[in-house]
């Protein structure tokens, strides 16, 4: 599917989400039904992985940066098993821990991490998760990272409903004062047990949803980072290293790759990234684009950020950035638990 046609589909899904529609399909009802059967067989084949326990990554990271009188930054993760970190053994290997330690290093300030993500969650669980994240009015997060979408596709959730739930969650968080970064739907076409031609169909459905998610998020004042190709070239070239023991969830190396893609956008949202990095770099094919076109392009390349800019005379526009990635290391020590 071309970038232009993906943009059209994304616009239709996002419009349906905004105005209450629900009939736009991802790849056709019969095709999606076949895809679901294949993915469910794959999930039964791989099971829940050799490490069904999800390490608990919460607390205070970067305690060495503590300054009396300066509170820590508050980071909250929401979403599904990818946000929770299912598939790894240690809390320091989860995306939350990696993001918290990376953010602390960039900000030179401690980071108080909270994770309310739920393995298996779909976008309709975000309402509950947002309520948890905002439950204490005195500790509203400075920034929230949401990773969601894969279970929406595999559980046949209408894409318009999926985007509507996500957009509502972003609006609630932004209204409360939190910055929001969303890692969009990953590429399900890279799950090893799924065979062709369903692998191609899974990729198509995933990228359509990712593009529509981007439109919905940007319209609510959030930013997105494409995770589509996160499970693409890198995972396909080295699946034994980048997939976990179940061949379904990422390994520690895979989660490090995801966190490395998201961290620059998290820092930019908090005003912590170098100012010259916020200017489009034409050599990296960055620039200002209509939101739908930016969303479609981002869905095809991992680590691509889309952020809102003031609307132009022809409708909403967005800044598309391909930020440089920086290697993240697993925290050397367990965090001090925040109270």
């Amino acid at each position: 599917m071309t970038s232009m046609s993906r943009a059209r589909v994304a616009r239709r899904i996002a419009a349906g989400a905004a105005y209450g529609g629900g009939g736009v399909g991802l790849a056709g009802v019969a095709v999606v039904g076949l895809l679901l059967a294949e993915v469910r067989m794959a999930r039964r084949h791989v099971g829940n992985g050799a490490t069904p326990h999800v390490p608990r990554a919460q607390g205070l990271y970067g305690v060495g940066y503590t300054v009396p009188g300066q509170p820590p930054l508050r980071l909250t993760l929401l979403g599904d098993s990818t946000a929770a970190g299912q598939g790894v053994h240690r809390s320091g290997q989860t995306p939350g821990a990696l993001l918290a330690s990376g953010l602390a290093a960039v900000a030179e300030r401690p980071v108080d991490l909270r994770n309310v993500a739920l393995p298996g969650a779909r976008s309709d669980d975000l309402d509950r998760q947002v309520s948890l994240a905002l439950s204490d009015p005195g500790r509203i997060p400075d920034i929230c990272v949401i990773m969601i979408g894969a279970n929406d596709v595999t559980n046949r959730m209408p894409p318009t409903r999926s985007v509507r739930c996500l957009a509502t969650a972003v609006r609630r968080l932004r209204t409360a004062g939190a910055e929001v970064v969303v890692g969009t739907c990953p590429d399900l076409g890279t799950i090893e047990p799924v065979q062709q031609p369903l692998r191609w169909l899974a990729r198509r459905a995933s990228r359509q949803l990712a593009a529509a998610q981007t439109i919905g998020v940007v319209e609510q004042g959030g930013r997105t980072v494409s995770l589509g190709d996160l499970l693409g070239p890198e995972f396909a070239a080295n699946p034994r290293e980048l997939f976990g023991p179940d061949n379904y969830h990422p390994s520690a190396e895979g989660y490090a790759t995801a966190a490395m893609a998201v961290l620059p956008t998290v820092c930019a949202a908090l005003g912590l990234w170098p100012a010259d990095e916020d200017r489009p770099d034409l050599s990296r094919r960055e620039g200002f684009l209509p939101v739908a076109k930016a969303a479609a392009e981002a869905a095809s390349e991992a680590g691509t950020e889309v952020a809102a800019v003031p609307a132009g005379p022809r409708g909403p526009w967005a800044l598309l950035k391909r930020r440089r990635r920086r290697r993240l290391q697993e925290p050397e020590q367990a965090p001090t638990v925040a109270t």
Side-chain angles (χ1 to χ4, degrees):
M1 175 177 287
T2 65
S3 174
M4 186 171 295
S5 58
R6 187 178 295 120
R8 284 197 297 267
V9 173
R11 277 197 301 268
R12 289 169 56 206
I13 295 173
Y19 297 108
V24 179
L26 284 172
V29 175
V31 166
V32 172
L34 192 59
L35 167 63
L36 292 173
E38 183 81 2
V39 170
R40 285 168 182 160
M41 287 179 63
R43 295 190 71 168
R44 283 198 298 269
H45 174 70
V46 300
N48 291 321
T51 56
H53 169 70
V54 180
R56 184 176 177 82
Q58 298 203 115
L60 199 63
Y61 288 75
V63 291
Y65 297 111
T66 300
V67 174
Q70 183 183 58
L73 289 169
R74 290 184 290 268
L75 165 66
T76 299
L77 260 72
L78 306 90
D80 55 23
S81 58
T82 303
Q86 184 171 2
V88 295
H89 297 278
R90 298 190 298 273
S91 61
Q93 298 171 325
T94 62
L98 293 165
L99 283 171
S101 59
L103 178 58
V106 173
E108 296 185 341
R109 184 174 168 185
V111 173
D112 184 2
L113 171 66
R114 188 180 183 198
N115 197 321
V116 298
L118 178 68
R122 306 182 309 180
S123 292
D124 53 5
D125 189 57
L126 288 176
D127 182 64
R128 180 190 65 83
Q129 294 184 29
V130 169
S131 294
L132 288 175
L134 302 179
S135 59
D136 184 350
R139 299 182 67 181
I140 298 299
D142 293 295
I143 188 157
C144 295
V145 174
I146 304 174
M147 297 180 179
I148 200 80
N151 296 314
D152 296 12
V153 176
T154 59
N155 286 280
R156 209 171 184 175
M157 186 175 186
T160 48
R161 183 183 175 202
S162 173
V163 173
R164 189 182 307 125
C165 290
L166 176 59
T168 299
V170 174
R171 181 169 62 250
R172 289 180 63 193
L173 292 169
R174 293 290 292 132
T175 300
E179 298 290 341
V180 181
V181 174
V182 175
T184 54
C185 182
D187 185 351
L188 297 179
T190 59
I191 299 173
E192 283 192 317
V194 177
Q195 301 300 315
Q196 294 288 16
L198 296 181
R199 185 184 296 267
W200 176 84
L201 295 171
R203 173 168 291 113
R204 180 186 176 193
S206 303
R207 290 185 175 181
Q208 285 180 3
L209 179 57
Q213 286 177 319
T214 294
I215 296 174
V217 169
V218 168
E219 287 179 346
Q220 299 303 324
R223 303 182 186 219
T224 63
V225 178
S226 169
L227 299 184
D229 277 352
L230 172 67
L231 304 182
E234 294 165 308
F235 275 45
N238 205 2
R240 297 305 175 202
E241 181 177 342
L242 289 172
F243 276 116
D246 60 5
N247 288 338
Y248 190 87
H249 294 100
S251 67
E253 183 72 18
Y255 281 129
T257 302
M260 185 169 56
V262 172
L263 178 63
T265 301
V266 168
C267 294
L270 292 171
L272 299 171
W273 214 237
D276 60 353
E277 278 285 315
D278 284 328
R279 290 193 293 268
D281 186 337
L282 296 181
S283 69
R284 298 207 299 258
R285 296 177 293 112
E286 299 177 348
F288 298 98
L289 298 169
V291 172
K293 183 171 176 56
E297 289 202 15
S300 300
E301 184 175 346
T304 304
E305 173 190 325
V306 180
V309 297
R314 296 186 180 180
W317 282 60
L319 172 61
L320 185 143
K321 291 284 296 178
R322 294 177 171 89
R323 296 186 185 274
R324 294 183 178 90
R325 303 183 193 178
R326 303 186 180 186
R327 179 69 181 174
L328 296 182
Q329 300 294 334
E330 180 182 340
E332 294 182 0
Q333 297 179 342
T336 301
V337 176
T339 57

